Amino acid sequence: MLVTVFGGGGFLGRYVAQELLGRGFRVRVAEREPANALRVKPLGNLGQSQLVHADVRNPASVARAVAGADAVVNLVAVLKGDMDGINHIGAANVAKAAAEAGVTTLVHISAIGSDAQSQSAYGRSKGQGEQAVRAAVPAATLIRPSILFGREDQFTNPFANLIRMAPVLPIIAGETKFQPVYVVDVARAIATAVADAAAHAGKTYELGGPQVLSMAQINAWLADAIGHKPAMFAMPACASEWLARLTGWLPAAPITLDQWRMLQVDNVVDAKAKGLADLGIAPTPLAAVADQWLVQYRKHGRFTARAKA
């Protein structure tokens, strides 16, 4: 089987490609910049993977990437910028191309909190994307992860780096809860949905790890894990909102207004939702794997414990 993976060169995409290649699938990685996916090539055997150019906002390029595929996985999403064009219209373009090509196995990666009526532009665009996918391919499998963690993540790494450098650390939305999920577990879930499409067609899964943690608890855990103890304090909601309004438009802004709106709602798996267990996957705790990459933020790296002794 040939699986086209849109966004296969990204953080999650590389793990998805590795899982699919390991299960014997051929993988076609569709990227706006195919060079970003070069690291996928060594993960499979000779000729098992290919890279193609595709922009989900361009229906013609999407159709070319889907042609001849047996299954399609769409991982493409953005947290800022052209959210409607990519998260909504782009998702619709992928689903329509799959339907027109006769591809019945479509796995669309959304996010917990996706809602067409959301106050957040991100949540709204993802919810509208889900609706468009279901309209074009009713048998599509929707997968909604909570925030992802892993070696190259944009979650634990930025926080750990900030904790390492800051003597005082304000916590935005400290009470907001998350259910961080290991990127490898999510990749396995996606590969399972592709491999056993009949069992998972038309279903929606919400994926979270074994722990529910508040933003404050996450920062405290990271501080302990890397051995840095900055003074932490909860930033009042009104102050963090004004920070987002005043600086959110800057390229390196700590938080955008839309991200602030997202943080007003917990990001955890619904108690009634199907999850990792329904896909035969045991969730990996953050503490079980994070030391592999958090060690770089310790003062003496791998020799921290020895230096203290």
Side-chain angles (χ1 to χ4, degrees), residues 75-87:
L75 304 168
V76 180
V78 292
L79 281 166
K80 57 183 179 180
D82 188 11
M83 288 183 279
D84 186 66
I86 294 174
N87 301 345

Side-chain angles (χ1 to χ4, degrees), residues 34-77:
N36 294 338
L38 285 174
R39 69 188 73 188
V40 171
K41 297 292 285 183
L43 300 178
N45 294 319
L46 185 64
Q48 196 181 0
S49 62
Q50 57 183 273
L51 312 181
V52 298
H53 165 76
D55 185 331
V56 295
R57 293 170 295 187
N58 184 322
S61 72
V62 172
R64 287 192 296 269
V66 167
D70 300 292
V72 172
V73 175
N74 183 24
L75 304 168
V76 180

Side-chain angles (χ1 to χ4, degrees), residues 291 295-296 298-309:
D291 190 62
V295 65
Q296 65 186 302
R298 295 176 187 154
K299 185 176 181 180
H300 300 288
R302 297 188 181 280
F303 301 99
T304 297
R306 187 180 302 172
K308 286 181 178 179

